[in-house]
Amino acid sequence: MLCTVPYVVGFNLVIGAQNVWMLYGGRLLTGLASGVCSLVAPVYIAEISSPEVRGLLGSCVQLMVVIGILAAYVAGLALDWCWLAVLGCVPPFFMLLLMCFMPETPRFLLIKHKELEAVAAMKFLWGVEQEQEVEENESSHEDQGFHLARLKNPAIYKPFLIGLLLMAFQQFSGINAMMFYAQTIFEQANFKDSSLASVIVGVLQVVFTAIAALLMDRAGRKILLSISGAIMALSCIMFGIYFKISLPTPNNSSNPDLLTTLNSETVGASPGLPWLAVSSMGFFLIGFSLGWGPIPWLLMSEIFPLQVKGLASGACVLTSWIMAFLVTKEFSSLMSFLTPYGTFWLFSAFCILSVIFTLLFVPETKGKTLEQIEAHFQGR
């Protein structure tokens, strides 16, 4: 609820910007609010959800993100940036209004020894009083509780490292690189309206993130992550082949904006090449949306013990945004040093590693309560 303040203030700075520093200030405040929400929203949803629908509801975090992006793309077809900022004030307002009617999570209330409030919250959320479950969970939290002084416990290390690597693999998959070149790829495939191309990208993300949400509690997390990583790896390999064919000489690799300076004769001689790039990007976005887009955020909210969930989740979110910053900042350097095809083949290698990591180390949390997941990492 407090995030409403930096959201609205930030967007108003953008709306009334008289210089570039006001735009920077607005971006800083909205970025702060987005960072906090990306931590709190998955945790809150996981703690109020029953095991049967936790995957569906947890995946809705990413689904709402891509719906918001699509809405911005569509609105951008008719509105300029100032009116987009005005539109950006609407969701925070509804978040503040509707969260006034939501209770604190029962598990958080139990940690604070507020049993009566926890029972009331459970009745509000699930429609029934579950006093026995409250008592059992309270006892479990007291006996198995973790504190900052006990962070050396191996039961903390394993989920913490899994969470960090999930976020790192998510960003090293190459998602930002694909998004960087989306407009140019569509233009080379004769999509002259780049704004419409952005809408197509947004629709792909929404549709397949929604499919992932529906499959989450049926197929499970591990299989979706594995399928997602395999699709992304193959897509990056194909994208690298596109660059390899389209750039006949290594000298072109000195230009960081290589996709916009492809040899026109080479591309023109092979009309299918732009469509190879379009299809590779499309399959990559499908793969990412099915697994590595929503699931790391979901697992982050599931695998940490309640007493350190805030600290551990915060570290994972920080890792995600730091990795996103590094990939964004160094991408042009990678393109120059490794060549474009080498860069995307590197992303494919990370995608393959993500599949191996998933199969070996990521636990299946489908259908388990948060307490059962915690017990798993304790070896019980």
Side-chain angles (χ1 to χ4, degrees):
M1 293 173 70
L2 289 174
C3 285
T4 302
V5 176
Y7 265 134
V8 173
V9 173
F11 279 124
N12 275 279
L13 278 176
V14 173
I15 293 168
Q18 301 297 315
N19 53 62
V20 70
W21 294 105
M22 292 182 70
L23 291 175
Y24 285 153
R27 289 287 291 158
L28 178 64
L29 288 173
T30 55
L32 171 65
S34 297
V36 174
C37 282
S38 66
L39 164 61
V40 177
V43 172
Y44 183 86
I45 291 172
E47 291 188 6
I48 67 171
S49 305
S50 61
E52 294 78 14
V53 296
R54 193 177 59 241
L56 171 64
L57 296 180
S59 300
C60 283
V61 175
Q62 181 68 12
L63 178 60
M64 293 301 109
V65 169
V66 294
I67 287 176
I69 293 172
L70 175 59
Y73 287 158
V74 172
L77 296 175
L79 303 176
D80 62 22
W81 60 269
C82 183
W83 283 105
L84 282 176
V86 173
L87 191 62
C89 294
V90 176
F93 170 77
F94 281 103
M95 178 177 70
L96 176 63
L97 178 65
L98 297 176
M99 285 302 294
C100 290
F101 301 98
M102 292 297 294
E104 186 53 84
T105 70
R107 289 178 172 86
F108 177 82
L109 293 171
L110 287 176
I111 293 175
K112 299 300 182 181
H113 303 289
K114 298 179 179 180
E115 294 82 4
L116 294 178
E117 294 181 36
V119 171
M122 295 174 81
K123 184 177 181 180
F124 175 89
L125 293 166
W126 303 320
V128 293
E129 294 189 16
Q130 302 184 30
E131 290 89 346
Q132 182 178 355
E133 183 176 343
V134 169
E135 293 173 0
E136 291 174 355
N137 286 342
E138 180 188 7
S139 174
S140 173
H141 294 153
E142 290 176 351
D143 296 339
Q144 304 164 17
F146 293 97
H147 303 284
L148 295 183
R150 300 179 63 188
L151 282 176
K152 294 183 179 181
N153 190 319
I156 297 294
Y157 275 149
K158 190 172 182 180
F160 185 65
L161 291 175
I162 289 173
L164 291 179
L165 286 171
L166 284 170
M167 291 302 183
F169 279 125
Q170 182 189 58
Q171 297 299 332
F172 287 153
S173 66
I175 179 61
N176 286 323
M178 288 290 183
M179 299 308 293
F180 290 157
Y181 282 129
Q183 177 178 334
T184 306
I185 291 170
F186 278 108
E187 286 177 351
Q188 290 196 350
N190 296 320
F191 281 88
K192 299 304 181 182
D193 190 340
S194 59
S195 297
L196 182 59
S198 298
V199 172
I200 294 174
V201 169
V203 170
L204 273 178
Q205 289 181 302
V206 169
V207 170
F208 285 94
T209 302
I211 292 174
L214 294 174
L215 293 175
M216 201 68 64
D217 291 310
R218 299 180 181 181
R221 284 61 156 161
K222 290 189 69 164
I223 187 170
L224 287 177
L225 279 176
S226 301
I227 293 173
S228 171
I231 293 174
M232 292 190 301
L234 181 60
S235 299
C236 284
I237 290 173
M238 296 305 296
F239 209 69
I241 291 173
Y242 164 74
F243 273 116
K244 181 71 173 177
I245 297 173
S246 300
L247 297 173
T249 62
N251 292 335
N252 286 341
S253 63
S254 62
N255 186 345
D257 197 15
L258 287 161
L259 198 56
T260 62
T261 57
L262 288 174
N263 187 299
S264 59
E265 294 180 359
T266 303
V267 177
S270 304
L273 282 182
W275 285 100
L276 174 61
V278 170
S279 59
S280 297
M281 184 185 69
F283 280 115
F284 182 92
L285 292 175
I286 290 171
F288 184 81
S289 299
L290 284 175
W292 282 95
I295 294 180
W297 298 101
L298 171 62
L299 285 174
M300 179 197 72
S301 68
E302 293 181 320
I303 63 178
F304 298 130
L306 294 175
Q307 281 74 10
V308 296
K309 190 182 290 286
L311 177 64
S313 299
C316 286
V317 172
L318 181 62
T319 299
S320 176
W321 294 125
I322 288 176
M323 295 303 175
F325 170 76
L326 290 176
V327 171
T328 301
K329 183 176 184 298
E330 300 301 329
F331 179 63
S332 292
S333 299
L334 280 175
M335 294 279 280
S336 177
F337 180 70
L338 296 178
T339 72
Y341 52 86
T343 300
F344 280 92
W345 287 343
L346 176 64
F347 289 142
S348 72
F350 278 114
C351 292
I352 294 171
L353 287 176
S354 74
V355 174
I356 297 172
F357 171 77
T358 298
L359 295 174
L360 294 180
F361 299 109
V362 176
E364 182 54 73
T365 59
K366 178 185 70 172
K368 296 180 180 179
T369 67
L370 297 182
E371 289 73 25
Q372 288 172 334
I373 297 170
E374 183 175 337
H376 166 80
F377 285 108
Q378 294 176 358
R380 297 187 292 106

